[in-house]
Amino acid sequence: MSVLSSMLVALGIVGALGALAVREHRLVRAARHSLLERCANILDGAQMRHGRDGFPSLVGSYRGRRVHVELIPDTMVLRRLPQLWLSVTLLDRLTDVPSLAVLVRPAGYEFYSLTSSLTRSLDAPPALPQEILIRGSGTGAERLLDHLSTRLASILAEPRVKEVAITSKGMRIIAQAGEGRRGEYLLLRQAVFDHADVSAGDLAKRLEDLEMLRSAIDARQQKRAA
């Protein structure tokens, strides 16, 4: 085969791969748009937004408190496929509450994690998994951890849950929503989450878990004030 023929073959392969990537990108964006549609009815006054990457987010209210729901694509993974994380944040002013965050199976590159932003490391109570990173701020973080350990253990018993965080501005749970398809990621470096699924039940469960933590914090504060 001549040099010219080899170049033409190479250009043809590159062109075919480029066309495949463009087509796949359009299909991926279309699939992403609908990932949170079934969750909208869970929130009062729900508003759907879409980012430039096509992933949706939801804002609304749940039992009178503001809620922010978003999907976080994570391609900063080593020796693993891309991950899609569901982040559910219950915005609520928590007076005189230290920051506390627990991260399960830490790998060191969780850019979305609030745990990494806190500076004080805490030991894991016996009720919690041992493969866990716990950090807090303020002198009361360890006491808050002890108070919530049973409830945190219940939440973290679900394998998909990655992080639980509590701050003075509210609380957040991050859980796995999907894993990337191997072929497209290896060939086209595209994160295709064709098995991603966020049901209304999934969102309701995260919100109930956050409400459980909120109630426990309220009870603790009332006890201290008595």
Side-chain angles (χ1 to χ4, degrees), residues 204-222:
K205 180 64 169 64
R206 306 302 168 214
L207 291 170
E208 287 299 319
D209 286 341
L210 291 172
E211 285 287 346
M212 175 179 64
L213 291 176
R214 184 66 172 89
S215 296
I217 292 173
D218 284 344
R220 176 176 180 263
Q221 291 178 314
Q222 291 170 8

Side-chain angles (χ1 to χ4, degrees), residues 91-151:
L91 299 173
D92 192 17
R93 183 67 62 180
L94 301 174
T95 305
D96 194 27
V97 172
S99 294
L100 176 67
V102 297
L103 179 68
V104 182
R105 299 174 299 277
Y109 44 78
E110 290 90 355
F111 63 92
Y112 49 82
S113 169
L114 289 177
T115 308
S116 60
S117 67
L118 303 177
T119 56
R120 184 181 177 189
S121 296
L122 303 175
D123 294 330
L128 298 185
Q130 294 307 299
E131 191 182 354
I132 193 171
L133 177 64
I134 307 177
R135 288 182 177 172
S137 66
T139 57
E142 189 168 7
R143 291 191 296 273
L144 180 62
L145 173 62
D146 289 339
H147 178 73
L148 297 177
S149 61
T150 301
R151 294 169 180 85

Side-chain angles (χ1 to χ4, degrees), residues 10-27:
L11 288 173
I13 293 173
V14 171
L17 287 175
L20 176 62
V22 170
R23 176 179 176 274
E24 187 65 28
H25 181 67
R26 290 173 179 169
L27 293 174

